[in-house]
Amino acid sequence: RGEMKNYALRLIDAKNNMVEEQFFSTEEESLKEYAKLREDNSGAYSLVALLDCKSNTVLHLLQYEASQLRIDLADGDVVRLREGYYEKGEEKYLYKVSDINENTGRCLIFCINSGAAIPAAESVEVRMVDAV
């Protein structure tokens, strides 16, 4: 009987963008391996994504910069735009993350404190946001 592929880790090689995948039957197993990769500063990967294979969604994403972990992003996290990616006065805005895409390195952010009746949403590169 084949093992269930409920969760996957997708690792994007930093040098050649080759994709390696590891599959897990339980979320606990996948989170254990994800935690190990979170501590990896080898410079081997540019992105690591933990996916729920049934819903085809990214649950967590690690983005590395200069061989160091830059951000551990999860669906629903609150972030702000990184310095250099906002106009003067926009540094106060907070955004909620959704629709993380490990293939494009992008996510959708909704402004949660703009005061607008309908929050503005924008697709941005993961490298443009910082954890709050």
Side-chain angles (χ1 to χ4, degrees):
R1 185 182 135 188
E3 193 172 319
M4 295 291 293
K5 293 181 176 180
N6 297 324
Y7 297 91
L9 278 175
R10 189 166 290 153
L11 302 96
I12 316 290
D13 188 283
K15 289 181 179 60
N16 59 19
N17 285 333
M18 295 293 290
V19 177
E20 175 191 333
E21 288 187 326
Q22 300 171 8
F23 293 96
F24 305 88
S25 54
T26 68
E27 186 174 15
E28 183 182 3
E29 289 173 307
S30 66
L31 284 169
K32 218 177 270 187
E33 191 60 32
Y34 181 84
K36 286 183 203 170
L37 288 162
R38 198 178 187 288
E39 303 305 316
D40 182 338
N41 288 323
S42 69
Y45 308 108
S46 58
L47 289 174
V48 172
L50 174 59
L51 296 99
D52 180 326
C53 296
K54 290 198 184 322
S55 64
N56 196 28
T57 56
V58 174
L59 303 174
H60 296 277
L61 182 94
L62 301 173
Q63 189 235 344
Y64 298 88
E65 204 168 80
S67 302
Q68 298 293 311
L69 177 63
R70 195 191 72 74
I71 194 167
D72 182 353
L73 197 60
D75 192 64
D77 276 358
V78 174
V79 297
R80 66 179 71 240
L81 287 175
R82 199 171 168 192
E83 192 172 345
Y85 294 103
Y86 58 78
E87 301 292 322
K88 186 162 174 45
E90 291 180 331
E91 61 276 1
K92 65 182 179 242
Y93 292 127
L94 299 175
Y95 302 87
K96 190 168 185 172
V97 172
S98 69
D99 299 338
I100 302 168
N101 186 315
E102 81 287 1
N103 294 314
T104 62
R106 297 182 76 82
C107 62
L108 199 59
I109 58 171
F110 293 89
C111 189
I112 57 175
N113 65 340
S114 68
I118 299 172
E122 189 175 344
S123 173
V124 298
E125 292 182 36
V126 170
R127 66 183 172 86
M128 295 171 65
V129 299
D130 262 335
V132 173

